[in-house]
Amino acid sequence: SAPMLRFAVVSDTHFWQSTTARSSFISASDARAVRDGLLVSESDSVLPLLLSQLAAFARSGGDFAIHAGDAVCGGASFKQPAAEFVRSLASYRQTERRYLGDWPVFHIPGNHDMHPVEGGTAAWRAAFCSPNATGSGPCKAQDGRVPPSY
């Protein structure tokens, strides 16, 4: 029989580097009668914890992970400044590579991975569709085509 694949699925990390804009978002969120439950204020500790757990999973024989969207805090609802959005994407990817090296994580864009001003996934693609050591990026089909939804 064919070997089984072992993979992890994560989503909604909502990573946002510590900035004045993030602090303002957290203050406004905390002042609401009903909180949204997001851990934006804990971004700096949640992401490394998650990635260390994925690294342990990889060392134990895990084949890959899927991030099912909302890696960062873009889109319209967070009001994240565009430059911070782009820096958050880059920081997320750098942190992911620092913990996981070339172990494959396949990212799917979520509504909060859209550019907060321009819309679309161009900045997300620039961060997450770069080729890995094997020469195949996570956003391309085996024949090299990029799906039209990206």
Side-chain angles (χ1 to χ4, degrees):
S1 75
M4 299 278 290
L5 287 175
R6 291 182 57 222
F7 63 95
V9 178
V10 299
S11 72
D12 298 280
T13 47
H14 293 112
F15 177 73
W16 188 345
Q17 293 176 296
S18 183
T19 63
T20 302
R22 183 181 98 170
S23 295
S24 296
F25 171 83
I26 292 166
S27 294
S29 178
D30 287 348
R32 292 187 191 116
V34 177
R35 295 252 1 257
D36 56 19
L38 296 175
L39 295 174
V40 174
S41 62
E42 306 301 324
S43 289
D44 301 322
S45 58
V46 170
L47 182 61
L49 177 60
L50 170 68
L51 294 174
S52 66
Q53 291 173 342
L54 283 178
F57 176 70
R59 287 190 303 274
S60 76
D63 293 298
F64 61 92
I66 298 169
H67 191 298
D70 292 352
V72 295
C73 293
S77 60
F78 286 97
K79 310 286 189 243
Q80 186 179 37
E84 287 184 20
F85 169 74
V86 172
R87 282 193 303 270
S88 288
L89 287 168
S91 179
Y92 185 106
R93 180 65 168 180
Q94 290 165 358
T95 304
E96 184 177 87
R97 294 299 101 203
R98 189 168 54 251
Y99 278 83
L100 302 175
D102 287 323
W103 190 73
V105 178
F106 300 98
H107 286 263
I108 301 166
N111 62 319
H112 293 134
D113 297 320
M114 303 296 160
H115 195 283
V117 176
E118 301 166 8
T121 59
W124 177 90
R125 284 192 322 269
F128 292 112
C129 295
S130 58
N132 60 29
T134 64
S136 62
C139 300
K140 292 183 180 176
Q142 286 183 334
D143 63 6
R145 290 180 298 131
V146 176
S149 61
Y150 290 135

